[in-house]
Amino acid sequence: MTGASAHDYDVIVVGGGHAGVEAAVAATRAGAQRVALVTSSASTIGQMSCNPAIGGVAKGTVVREVDALGGIMGHATDLAAIQFRMLNRGKGPAVWAPRAQCDRVRYRAAVQQQLASWPGLTVLAATVASLVFETDGSVGGVRTSDGSAITAGAVVIATGTFLRGRIFIGTEVQSPGGRAGEPPTSELAEQLAALGFETARFKTGTPPRIDGRSVDYSNMQRQDSELDAFSYRWSRMSDPAPQLPQVPCWLTWTSAESKSFVAENISRSAMYGGAIEARGPRYCPSIEDKIVRFPDAERHQVFLEPEGLDTPELYVNGLSTSLPASVQIDLLRSVPGLERVEMTRPGYAIEYDYYAPTGLFPWLESRHVDGLFFAGQVNGTTGYEEAAAQGVVAGLNAGRRVAGLEPVTFGRETSYIGVLVDDLVSRGVDEPYRLFTSRSEFRLTVRQDNAMRRLSLIGESLGLFTADELRHLHRRLDDEDRLESAARTTSITPDEATPVLEAAGYAPLAHGVKAAELIRRNGVSLRDVLVAAGGTLPADDEAVISVELELKYAGYFERERQNAARMRTMGEYALPQDASYGTMKSLSTEARHKLAARKPVTLAQASMIPGVSPSDLQNLVLEVERARASVPTASAR
């Protein structure tokens, strides 16, 4: 393994989950000609291990960002969606959140179908036992369990919960596994630990599944589908994805009896009986966690969500548990509507290795091994969407690395992908990380409706798209530009405006105004105003929503964008990786210690480290500039 030309592949991606799939696709889009996705079971690529749903608050925005950078999650969702809802409609379009319930089998098939014809991508069915290295210490490929070596210029580790994964159902039933029915990966985990990677354990879990034919829906709240789509590049802008039959989800609640069952059997839970010590996700707690942490709560929500069109099985969202199977069935039957339910599969908890993400650069390459990238739950995150986002970043940069190009990073002001990665590498994790809108300082301008405008132009500048995809992208952006121009130039007369204003509770106009001015009033929509004025609108509702938001809240958005510009300036200020923070006496002691430990790449990254104050940042710039000025130039030497 002496040079790139001798490698079997440009990039190897280890793992076929949501992070691995997006990493493999992104690497090819970034220019890697030969990408291998190596997974123990090719038939489970794209598997939805937990809930068969994509999106939600913040997460739905991430899916659209992944789509805007050339990822496939949004398109696969559109091909498999059996229910679509826009969450937070009551809170205004700025915080709307798309979410789709998927047919589990069809989603997996949609992912595999896209990969099967993806240029430059090869799927290899093998178990990776270890990494192999070049003589200079950089990664050189992998070795499989049968002893075969596969070489590459970069490797992305995207193994999800498989690294030394262990499954628990109660305190008595334990078995090694990356997920139910699949063995864990232990040799690779042991090698990484031996190499000095900071390793810890997290826990996650899944609820039982039930037979929907044994459910009494009469007293449950029905939630029907709203027709929509995730992907801009394909289903919105070229050939629409075929719409599958849409099905409802159902809402019920736990009872006092449910609470008693959990309390009486808490010592038999793997989490509370001592079998598991690792920490689980705070924002996706098990039913045991809910009962213990919220003892005064009388009941907890339970959503019954379909697993697919060809199965009666339902996912019991809200009852994640590691109680024994015999207790789970009693717990289920204590829930109103489930009194005679049949359990098809018990829930379980799983404990697995993850690696401290503070050991990564902001482009998700290891600080310790050149060419080695990490993405997904191995970085301490939870959720399909968070994994996919990391896959895009790691795969994109792995592809750029083998092409000899500079790494690409995403700032907090550009995307939730940027927030996610920056939180991981700057702050680290002490529990499974999940995205929320509250994690972003720029959530007014970083929205689900404008993901394509924010990121597709970045993708275009990086050469990620085909000519056909670019035509579709530009068509949507041109629609928005024309619509904004029309809103600013179209006048509406008092007579035309009166019906619109009366419907929103306003008095008639005294004189004509521009449409862009009129829609600043609450309850007055751009669509209604332009229709009343005789204007034309694009077919895509999302374009109308984006333009309306930009016009209606222009003042708020401008202030946020000014803050984003300041953040971007800090992001462009590079910090030397050999900086001697311990000698910078103008910094606080805490700042010196934390900066030395984290070694931030930019001033923006330094600003995200807890304990580094604004005054520390100002002094840090002075210290760095002073050190740079003291280094003699080549001519001076």
Side-chain angles (χ1 to χ4, degrees):
M1 296 181 291
T2 57
S5 61
H7 288 149
D8 298 320
Y9 294 93
D10 297 323
V11 176
I12 292 172
V13 178
V14 183
H18 304 283
V21 163
E22 299 295 354
V25 168
T28 65
R29 286 193 180 273
Q33 300 296 310
R34 300 162 300 160
V35 175
L37 192 160
V38 186
T39 177
S40 299
S41 174
S43 65
T44 59
I45 289 174
Q47 175 78 353
M48 305 177 97
S49 303
C50 197
N51 188 3
I54 296 292
V57 177
K59 291 169 175 279
T61 305
V62 170
V63 178
R64 289 195 162 157
E65 291 177 352
V66 167
D67 188 71
L69 290 169
I72 66 173
M73 176 174 272
H75 187 42
T77 300
D78 290 345
L79 291 170
I82 54 179
Q83 188 193 79
F84 189 100
R85 293 182 67 83
M86 187 67 76
L87 308 182
N88 285 344
R89 281 199 185 273
K91 298 182 180 179
V95 291
W96 286 2
R99 182 186 187 273
Q101 192 72 20
C102 294
D103 183 302
R104 186 186 298 277
V105 174
R106 286 177 171 84
Y107 182 89
R108 186 176 62 207
V111 170
Q112 293 178 18
Q113 182 181 17
Q114 291 182 76
L115 296 189
S117 59
W118 204 268
L121 176 58
T122 301
V123 174
L124 302 178
T127 298
V128 172
S130 62
L131 300 170
V132 295
F133 300 95
E134 304 282 9
T135 54
D136 63 359
S138 63
V139 74
V142 302
R143 192 174 302 280
T144 62
S145 57
D146 65 2
S148 301
I150 309 171
T151 61
V155 174
V156 180
I157 303 295
T159 46
T161 60
F162 277 75
L163 294 183
R164 291 194 283 209
R166 191 162 190 83
I167 291 172
F168 298 81
I169 304 176
T171 54
E172 298 87 6
V173 180
Q174 301 181 24
S175 61
R179 59 178 165 235
E182 297 183 57
T185 299
S186 297
E187 292 176 278
L188 177 60
E190 290 164 1
Q191 182 196 32
L192 290 169
L195 288 170
F197 284 90
E198 185 180 344
T199 307
R201 302 277 280 175
F202 272 160
K203 167 262 177 188
T204 189
T206 189
R209 272 63 158 183
I210 61 174
D211 189 331
R213 296 168 298 187
S214 61
V215 174
D216 177 5
Y217 299 101
S218 60
N219 291 319
M220 295 184 183
Q221 179 181 332
R222 177 180 173 129
Q223 292 188 335
D224 287 307
S225 180
E226 308 165 1
L227 296 181
D228 211 321
F230 260 110
S231 177
Y232 291 115
R233 290 196 330 281
W234 287 284
S235 51
R236 284 176 177 270
M237 307 180 66
S238 54
D239 297 325
Q243 185 71 58
L244 292 175
Q246 300 293 286
V247 297
C249 294
W250 302 87
L251 171 63
T252 183
W253 301 80
T254 59
S255 64
E257 188 182 9
S258 308
K259 186 175 182 178
S260 297
F261 270 123
V262 174
E264 291 167 5
N265 291 278
I266 196 72
S267 64
R268 303 179 67 190
S269 162
M271 277 294 293
Y272 287 92
I276 297 178
E277 296 181 359
R279 190 166 185 176
R282 186 196 329 175
Y283 300 107
C284 188
S286 66
I287 187 62
E288 297 97 296
D289 285 328
K290 293 175 184 177
I291 299 303
V292 171
R293 288 164 49 189
F294 309 107
D296 296 331
E298 295 183 1
R299 60 180 190 167
H300 299 277
Q301 285 186 332
V302 177
F303 286 94
L304 304 184
E305 301 173 331
E307 292 268 323
L309 296 176
D310 303 320
T311 175
E313 204 167 43
L314 299 176
Y315 179 94
V316 188
N317 194 344
L319 283 187
S320 177
T321 182
S322 61
L323 286 164
S326 59
V327 178
Q328 291 186 39
I329 187 63
D330 289 336
L331 173 61
L332 285 167
R333 290 176 177 171
S334 70
V335 175
L338 304 185
E339 291 86 354
R340 295 178 177 82
V341 78
E342 295 296 328
M343 183 172 70
T344 56
R345 286 182 285 172
Y348 62 85
I350 182 169
E351 191 178 39
Y352 57 93
D353 284 358
Y354 78 94
Y355 302 101
T358 50
L360 302 174
F361 288 112
W363 50 94
L364 297 185
E365 184 178 11
S366 170
R367 290 177 178 268
H368 312 298
V369 178
D370 290 347
L372 181 62
F373 296 78
F374 289 81
Q377 284 185 272
V378 292
N379 288 338
T381 62
T382 182
Y384 305 147
E385 303 83 0
E386 289 88 344
Q390 294 169 74
V392 169
V393 175
L396 175 60
N397 282 296
R400 290 179 64 83
R401 186 183 195 280
V402 298
L405 301 173
E406 289 295 312
V408 173
T409 59
F410 298 90
R412 301 179 70 89
E413 76 284 357
T414 68
S415 59
Y416 275 96
I417 292 177
V419 171
L420 163 66
V421 173
D422 187 59
D423 279 353
L424 292 177
V425 302
S426 297
R427 301 175 177 177
V429 294
D430 57 8
E431 63 183 46
Y433 179 98
R434 180 179 180 180
L435 268 172
F436 292 100
T437 53
S438 59
R439 295 191 187 273
S440 173
E441 308 92 317
F442 306 104
R443 50 190 173 273
L444 291 180
T445 51
V446 177
R447 308 184 307 273
Q448 59 88 23
D449 64 274
N450 67 2
M452 191 175 65
R453 181 169 288 276
R454 286 185 284 112
L455 292 179
S456 65
L457 297 179
I458 295 175
E460 181 178 0
S461 71
L462 298 175
L464 302 185
F465 303 124
T466 66
D468 187 54
E469 287 172 338
L470 286 174
R471 281 193 295 272
H472 292 310
L473 290 170
H474 289 162
R475 184 188 309 160
R476 162 62 192 268
L477 297 179
D478 289 345
D479 281 348
E480 289 185 8
D481 291 341
R482 284 192 293 269
L483 184 59
E484 181 174 354
S485 177
R488 293 186 183 279
T489 58
T490 299
S491 295
I492 184 168
T493 67
D495 287 344
E496 292 170 334
T498 294
V500 176
L501 292 173
E502 285 181 348
Y506 293 101
L509 292 175
H511 54 78
V513 297
K514 300 297 185 186
E517 179 181 341
L518 190 61
I519 66 167
R520 291 176 185 162
R521 305 185 185 202
N522 289 334
V524 177
S525 76
L526 176 59
R527 178 174 292 280
D528 290 344
V529 170
L530 287 181
V531 168
T536 59
L537 294 162
D540 192 340
D541 284 341
E542 291 275 357
V544 181
I545 290 170
S546 290
V547 172
E548 178 176 329
L549 287 171
E550 291 295 331
L551 294 172
K552 190 182 287 285
Y553 304 110
Y556 296 102
F557 292 172
E558 178 58 29
R559 286 195 291 273
E560 189 165 284
R561 286 183 173 123
Q562 289 175 2
N563 293 334
R566 286 192 286 271
M567 174 70 75
R568 193 175 300 112
T569 299
M570 287 198 294
E572 293 168 355
Y573 188 89
L575 297 175
Q577 287 302 285
D578 60 352
S580 180
Y581 293 108
T583 64
M584 298 181 181
K585 301 302 182 183
S586 63
L587 274 60
S588 68
T589 301
E590 182 180 10
R592 292 200 301 271
H593 288 164
K594 290 190 173 181
L595 289 167
R598 297 290 174 83
K599 297 187 183 302
V601 175
T602 66
L603 190 65
Q605 192 180 358
S607 72
M608 293 297 108
I609 299 175
V612 178
S613 68
S615 62
D616 287 323
L617 294 174
Q618 293 175 347
N619 291 333
L620 176 58
V621 172
L622 295 174
E623 294 275 9
V624 169
E625 292 300 321
R626 187 181 301 121
R628 286 172 175 163
S630 67
V631 177
T633 63
S635 58
R637 296 192 196 101

